[in-house]
Amino acid sequence: MNYLYPVFNTTSLSSFDSPYLEGFKGKTGEVAFFIDGEANRHYFLGLGDPKHHLEVIQTVRSFIFKQKENLSTGVKIKFLGGQEYLSDIVQGAYLSDYSIGYLKGEQLEFPSIDFEADASDVERGQHFARAIKRIMRWGDAPGNHKTPQKLAEWIKASGEENGFQVEVFDKAACENLGMHALLGVGRGSRENPPVFCVLKYTHPEATKTVGLVGKGVTFDTGGVSLKPGDNMNYMKSDMGGAAAVAGTLEVAARLGLKINLIGAIPITENCIDSYAIKPGDVISSYSGKTIEVINTDAEGRLILADALSYITDKYHTDVLIDLATLTGNAIMALGYKAAALISPNDELAQSLFHAGLKTGEKVWRMPHWDEYKDALKSDIADLKNLAGSPIGGAINAGKFLQEFIREHQAWAHLDIAGTAFMDSEFGSMKSATGFGVRLLVEYLESQGA
């Protein structure tokens, strides 16, 4: 039998009489190993003094993933302390069997995992792992396996399985709604037209309603403003915001959070044909505002504009948060360690910041001053979708979105371009992270959900 002991740097190992533990300090990622007289294999995995929950999750996940051949007969995880992190250890263990190569013909068997822990901790970890693996799979799916219609089907299936409602508006319904910006972006993809999903989770004891909006571009060529060919294959990840919203609804429903959630997910491809919108075109939007399209690769803010306008028009929300893999400028500003946060609401910004510190899905607040809005002035439309200058792009994008929230008093925009798709042990190339679910659930729970 294989036994795994996740160990903090303060955990006492005095009950284990083994010379192989001499000098073991429990530093993050440190491993000690011995075989007892009955041929049981004992692994001690250091967790250090964790800075946040994600560090624990990733340490456990990476170890089991890399040791899966040695653990092929199964592993029992024993806890020696650290109650606060038990569900994270469970989550890391269950995330370790994620596979990017699910389209390959041959699949490796993964070891069975058993826990000596309180059932509630195990269940919580399982709920997170199940949802995050699901949306990581969505993010890593190739564009031809993830059309707007296919993604909408996946979201609807998740709702049926996990206990939240999903309504899907097809192209004709979007036309009836007046979602001209969403439809404009999707014009270049005739075979796979846009769809719009509305997700609803309610709890009878809820006192607050939170709106969540996620960008769902299933593949982004840049349109007529074509992206460079290098690394365009990663543009299958441009629906990380949509994945985060759907994953959050799933976990909230599984945990029975005392909150009402309304999710809005506009889904489209951004492709090229003779019908595609062109730089200089002026399109309308659900809100009625006209938009001069300066660059067709600034498409995410266009589809979010319609979704934000819709949700503020149709529903009362106490808080409204949107997430999107929106700008390369956010990566230039913050790298891959934090998402850019833009919000005029100090309390909401602080709550999200602290939720990020606790979970490890960090956010950093950017300026939200109206001076940045001046860059969006258009001579021929209500506003343009891209500023003329290449600087301040993440902030300008946020100011663009703010024009479509009907002066909502508690709105936040999260640009997750640098955090939704990163290097990991799962493959040799970048892959989906599932960023946003832990952050949002922690925020909701901090609000009493």
Side-chain angles (χ1 to χ4, degrees):
M1 185 64 188
N2 298 302
Y3 294 94
L4 173 61
Y5 307 86
V7 176
F8 296 89
N9 59 7
T10 56
T11 303
S12 173
L13 301 179
S14 59
S15 60
F16 296 92
D17 183 18
S18 172
Y20 295 100
L21 294 177
E22 293 181 7
F24 179 74
K25 303 296 184 183
K27 295 183 292 186
T28 301
E30 184 183 6
V31 177
F33 162 75
F34 69 85
I35 301 176
D36 65 23
E38 298 178 353
N40 294 311
R41 301 160 69 92
H42 299 263
Y43 295 86
F44 294 78
L45 174 63
L47 301 178
D49 183 10
K51 300 179 182 67
H52 45 70
H53 291 274
L54 186 57
E55 185 177 61
V56 173
I57 293 167
Q58 291 178 335
T59 301
V60 175
R61 185 190 77 183
S62 180
F63 173 79
I64 298 178
F65 178 84
K66 292 176 181 178
Q67 294 289 329
K68 57 181 176 288
E69 291 186 10
N70 293 330
L71 303 174
S72 59
T73 57
V75 59
K76 177 173 285 188
I77 298 179
K78 292 193 170 188
F79 298 93
L80 303 177
Q83 181 70 30
E84 180 185 359
Y85 295 97
L86 293 192
S87 68
D88 301 315
I89 293 169
V90 173
Q91 187 182 150
Y94 279 118
L95 285 171
S96 65
D97 73 348
Y98 177 70
S99 174
I100 292 175
Y102 72 98
L103 294 174
K104 294 181 179 181
E106 184 178 350
Q107 299 293 317
L108 295 175
E109 289 293 325
F110 205 82
S112 62
I113 300 174
D114 190 21
F115 298 92
E116 287 188 0
D118 185 83
S120 61
D121 290 314
V122 174
E123 188 175 65
R124 180 180 174 88
Q126 287 176 321
H127 290 329
F128 274 95
R130 185 184 296 112
I132 290 171
K133 279 195 291 188
R134 187 196 304 269
I135 67 172
M136 286 167 64
R137 174 68 56 83
W138 295 354
D140 288 324
N144 62 324
H145 287 256
K146 184 175 57 190
T147 64
Q149 291 69 36
K150 185 67 174 178
L151 183 56
E153 290 171 7
W154 289 348
I155 293 171
K156 191 171 183 64
S158 176
E160 292 172 353
E161 178 183 345
N162 296 293
F164 60 90
Q165 299 175 347
V166 179
E167 185 176 8
V168 179
F169 297 85
D170 61 12
K171 180 184 177 182
C174 288
E175 289 172 343
N176 289 334
L177 288 174
M179 294 201 149
H180 304 295
L182 171 61
L183 292 165
V185 173
R187 272 170 41 187
S189 183
R190 307 290 285 180
E191 294 181 349
N192 301 308
V195 297
F196 180 58
C197 294
V198 176
L199 296 66
K200 299 177 183 178
Y201 163 74
T202 59
H203 192 283
E205 298 178 39
T207 58
K208 287 185 178 180
T209 299
V210 174
L212 301 174
V213 178
K215 173 187 172 184
V217 176
T218 58
F219 195 84
D220 181 17
T221 67
V224 174
S225 304
L226 187 66
K227 291 179 180 290
D230 292 345
N231 295 323
M232 194 195 287
N233 56 295
Y234 286 137
M235 288 301 100
K236 64 184 180 180
S237 69
D238 211 11
M239 36 62 68
V245 170
T248 300
L249 267 288
E250 177 174 332
V251 174
R254 284 288 182 176
L255 294 179
L257 297 189
K258 296 178 181 179
I259 194 80
N260 293 330
L261 297 176
I262 304 293
I265 301 178
I267 310 175
T268 186
E269 295 175 334
N270 185 24
C271 293
I272 310 172
D273 71 5
S274 61
Y275 292 92
I277 56 175
K278 305 176 292 298
D281 284 357
V282 173
I283 61 174
S284 188
S285 64
Y286 179 91
S287 70
K289 292 183 179 181
T290 56
I291 305 165
E292 182 184 5
V293 179
I294 301 298
N295 189 310
T296 63
D297 194 26
E299 86 298 333
R301 65 201 68 184
L302 296 178
I303 70 172
L304 289 173
D306 274 356
L308 287 166
S309 296
Y310 176 88
I311 205 169
T312 52
D313 178 41
K314 298 294 185 181
Y315 301 96
H316 167 76
T317 56
D318 299 289
V319 173
L320 178 61
I321 302 170
D322 74 76
L323 303 91
T325 49
L326 206 61
T327 69
N329 188 263
I331 303 175
M332 292 175 65
L334 300 174
Y336 297 95
K337 302 300 183 183
L341 163 65
I342 294 174
S343 177
N345 187 293
D346 293 341
E347 181 180 353
L348 175 57
Q350 278 295 105
S351 295
L352 288 169
F353 174 73
H354 288 297
L357 289 181
K358 184 173 182 179
T359 60
E361 294 190 333
K362 298 177 183 177
V363 301
W364 189 257
R365 193 180 187 186
M366 310 291 277
H368 58 85
W369 306 313
D370 283 341
E371 287 88 339
Y372 287 95
K373 186 171 67 174
D374 294 339
L376 301 174
K377 291 179 179 178
S378 168
D379 293 334
I380 60 174
D382 291 316
L383 71 168
K384 55 187 181 182
N385 76 327
L386 192 71
S389 171
I391 58 177
I395 302 170
N396 290 330
K399 297 306 291 184
F400 177 91
L401 296 177
Q402 194 172 5
E403 293 295 300
F404 297 90
I405 62 171
R406 300 176 187 269
E407 298 184 351
H408 198 293
Q409 297 303 300
W411 162 77
H413 161 64
L414 295 173
D415 190 332
I416 62 173
T419 55
F421 216 69
M422 293 194 294
D423 294 330
S424 75
E425 66 271 20
F426 295 124
S428 59
M429 301 174 68
K430 292 182 185 298
S431 60
T433 65
F435 182 96
V437 175
R438 301 179 187 96
L439 170 72
L440 291 175
V441 171
E442 173 61 31
Y443 165 74
L444 294 173
E445 290 184 323
S446 74
Q447 302 302 300

